[in-house]
Amino acid sequence: MNGNKNGGGTGFGGIVGEYIRRHHKHDPKDHQCTSTLVRHIKAPVHLVWSLVRRFDQPQKYKPFVSRCVVQGNLEIGSLREVDVKSGLPATTSTERLELLDDDEHILSIKIIGGDHRLRNYSSIISLHPEITDGRPGTVVIESFVVDVPEGNTKDETCYFVEALIQCNLKSLCDVSERLAVQDRTEPIDRL
């Protein structure tokens, strides 16, 4: 079950709505758009987080990233240079780590440069435990705010960014669920 809603999380209820209110605060200006996307993954939080927290290796699950080089130590303020695969209207992106919270499972980045039109882009991704089909699962919430480029509408800009994030979240789901299946061991009854 997946969902998304323009407007920074309005329209999500229950515990997901509470997670959004608590962790996904953006203050969009008139020339910006914002949205929140949700993905449920049939893998435990610790496994999904082991992929998401790797600011230095987004290509582990992000299909549009071909290469990533981090400058300096992996800490708040660290910069990464990301090479984007062909087919997108960009080849590079420079991104700064804004937040890496291993206790709350929250990662935030800000794009500060690159040859693309995503100006003042900032995103927050948070992971939350849930039980899915009687097994540990994860709710992944990703929100963003970005300037609307000249010549585009808010809807066009949000649609484009949401499509990229949906691809990333689908890939995260596929990789995480594949790892979760490999990690499962069933007890052997030797009677």
Side-chain angles (χ1 to χ4, degrees):
M1 184 166 102
N2 304 312
N4 67 321
K5 180 77 176 170
N6 286 332
T10 58
F12 291 105
I15 192 71
V16 171
E18 181 57 33
Y19 293 146
I20 292 168
R21 281 186 292 283
R22 190 178 320 150
H23 302 295
H24 295 265
K25 293 179 173 77
H26 296 286
D27 186 22
K29 310 296 183 243
D30 287 341
H31 64 284
Q32 294 182 312
C33 72
T34 185
S35 187
T36 299
L37 298 95
V38 175
R39 181 88 187 199
H40 298 265
I41 298 179
K42 294 178 182 177
V45 169
H46 72 88
L47 193 150
V48 181
W49 182 244
S50 73
L51 296 167
V52 170
R53 77 171 310 281
R54 294 302 303 263
F55 178 75
D56 58 333
Q57 294 183 352
Q59 66 272 26
K60 293 271 188 194
Y61 75 91
K62 292 185 175 188
F64 301 113
V65 175
S66 61
R67 184 171 162 264
C68 175
V69 177
V70 172
Q71 303 164 6
N73 295 327
L74 187 59
E75 58 192 11
I76 304 303
S78 293
L79 298 180
R80 69 181 179 194
E81 293 289 333
V82 175
D83 291 343
V84 180
K85 290 183 180 176
S86 64
L88 288 177
T91 58
T92 63
S93 182
T94 304
E95 303 170 357
R96 183 175 58 226
L97 182 61
E98 299 286 299
L99 175 67
L100 178 63
D101 186 329
D102 286 316
D103 296 326
E104 294 285 332
H105 303 113
I106 303 169
L107 175 89
S108 178
I109 65 127
K110 182 172 183 67
I111 294 179
I112 60 170
D115 66 344
H116 51 72
R117 298 179 70 200
L118 297 178
R119 301 290 174 241
N120 293 311
Y121 178 92
S122 180
S123 73
I124 301 167
I125 185 167
S126 65
L127 280 56
H128 310 277
E130 69 175 354
I131 301 298
T132 305
D133 298 331
R135 293 192 175 271
T138 303
V139 178
V140 180
I141 304 169
E142 187 161 355
S143 63
F144 69 90
V145 63
V146 66
D147 288 358
V148 176
E150 191 172 320
N152 290 93
T153 67
K154 284 185 179 186
D155 285 344
E156 290 167 338
T157 304
C158 270
Y159 181 81
F160 174 75
V161 176
E162 287 171 354
L164 289 176
I165 292 173
Q166 286 288 19
C167 286
N168 289 340
L169 292 178
K170 181 186 183 317
S171 179
L172 177 63
C173 180
D174 293 345
V175 171
S176 297
E177 289 180 356
R178 189 169 49 251
L179 289 171
V181 167
Q182 292 171 0
D183 201 34
R184 276 194 200 130
T185 55
E186 298 298 326
I188 298 172
D189 187 2
R190 298 198 173 216
L191 295 176

